[in-house]
Amino acid sequence: MFLSDSNLPFCPGCGHALVVRNTAKALKKLAVNPLDVVLVTDIGCHGIIDRNFHTHTVHGIHGRSVALASGIAAGLPEGKTVIAFLGDGGAVIGLQHLIEAAHRNFNLTAVVFNNMLYGMTGGQPSGLTPCGYRTPTHPQGTKERGADLCRRLHAAGAASVERVICRGDFSEAIARAIATQGFSLVEVMEQCPSYGSKHNPGRSVEDLVREAGLSLELLLNPGVTPCRFPERTNTASLLDLKPIARRHESGLDRRVSIMLGGSAGEGVQSAAELFARAAVSSGLSATKRGWYPVTVGTGYSAADIVISPDPILYTGTTVPDLAAITSNDGFRRCAPTLRSMRTGLVLLDEELPEPETEAKVIRTPLRRTAGRRGAALYALALLLREQNLFPLSALIEAHAQSKLSARLDLEKLLSLPPTGKS
């Protein structure tokens, strides 16, 4: 009913097959509709089981199955079942996700395939590997004590956690977890036949669990309330944004790329966006891509703008046709690109150093005329007037409709006599 094929894709002797069959059996016991089940897996041997389930399946990156499952569970209505499969390696990689899911009690069940090592990558120990357990990379046995995952998640507030041995029928434990309201976890202890059993001959899973000081126990936090987000019905969609009306005409017959460089907090990104909007209102295609360091409030701020009469299939720019630099931060960032310009035009603030470039350079008092927060837009307006890419009135109109109009009179600035020097 839940599995498409009785032949599961695991190594002979691997306990993963038994975990999968017990999960399917638990779902059958609970009379769950397969289409009401979402199974989330991630990287690891367990993750190859997706195709065998007749449920909805989602496959994520290593250690992230619980994070994905939490989002799914939070957004689904009641009556749905969300199960996350993960290995012991993934549990350690995504431990923060497990703790957060337990703390907030997202309504899901995490099933940990704990075979005490990373089986898919050659048998490295994980953070749950018991002390003394031998693996291919630790033939003398690991020196550190593995974490007690169940105790940690119980302490975090999970509604239910249970540790079982991967032997025989343990579907009742999984069914009990699935039926729990809130976050539940079943840690299934097993050994990898390829890297675990061979390096630990004669040691049973039961012995390993006991020697590690782990208990086969069910721990509950009764009375918790599952976390579920209310359905959002009034969220605006980007598809609902009002298109930019075409109010101007451009005679541009080629693709033009512009590099704008300045300093953080000086309106570089806003100026580039206004320029792009104005281009669109003139019947052109336009893209804008911003560049700035992770410390967005300091350092350089740069933008690449591309405008074209045709659709723009690539928004990148290797060597721009035009450039405008308004500050030392922008100059330092853009200087290597200016060196690669063999043609075109560079508009530069009068206080900046002479750039190494074969492009035509015009120096003008951008900051002295428009101030540090108006220099970027002023520079683009001057470039537009110089190159006649589309009507200047389109940019003036876009600016007048923006918040920037309150602090900068662009039309007045453009009426001043030109002071640029080549």
Side-chain angles (χ1 to χ4, degrees), residues 8 22 47 65 85 90 116 153 159 177 215 252 261-262 279 286 326 337 360 404:
L8 301 181
N22 274 282
S65 61
F85 278 177
M116 308 181 195
L153 297 187
S215 300
L252 189 68
T326 65
T337 306
K360 179 183 177 182
L404 298 179

Side-chain angles (χ1 to χ4, degrees), residues 68-104:
L68 291 169
S70 296
I72 294 169
L76 285 177
E78 293 188 33
K80 306 296 182 183
T81 298
V82 181
I83 300 172
F85 278 177
L86 66 164
D88 53 300
V92 176
I93 291 172
L95 185 58
Q96 180 60 41
H97 303 307
L98 277 162
I99 290 174
E100 190 67 15
H103 173 65
R104 301 181 69 174

Side-chain angles (χ1 to χ4, degrees), residues 179-258:
T180 298
Q181 288 298 302
F183 179 86
S184 60
L185 175 130
V186 179
E187 184 184 16
V188 185
M189 308 301 294
E190 51 173 310
Q191 284 203 82
C192 172
S194 297
Y195 299 115
S197 306
K198 290 180 181 177
H199 290 79
N200 297 271
R203 304 180 75 184
S204 69
V205 176
E206 288 86 345
D207 290 342
L208 291 164
V209 169
R210 184 176 61 257
E211 292 166 7
L214 301 175
S215 300
L216 301 176
E217 58 186 353
L218 169 65
L219 301 173
L220 304 174
N221 281 307
V224 300
T225 302
C227 180
R228 182 172 287 113
F229 297 150
E231 183 180 2
R232 294 193 296 180
T233 57
N234 59 349
T235 303
S237 168
L238 290 175
L239 299 177
D240 296 331
L241 289 177
K242 187 178 179 181
I244 299 173
R246 182 169 182 168
R247 299 167 57 87
H248 307 273
E249 296 297 329
S250 168
L252 189 68
D253 59 358
R254 69 191 189 284
R255 170 189 168 113
V256 175
S257 58
I258 304 167

Side-chain angles (χ1 to χ4, degrees), residues 314-325:
Y314 175 59
T315 61
T317 301
T318 305
V319 180
D321 301 299
L322 307 169
I325 312 298

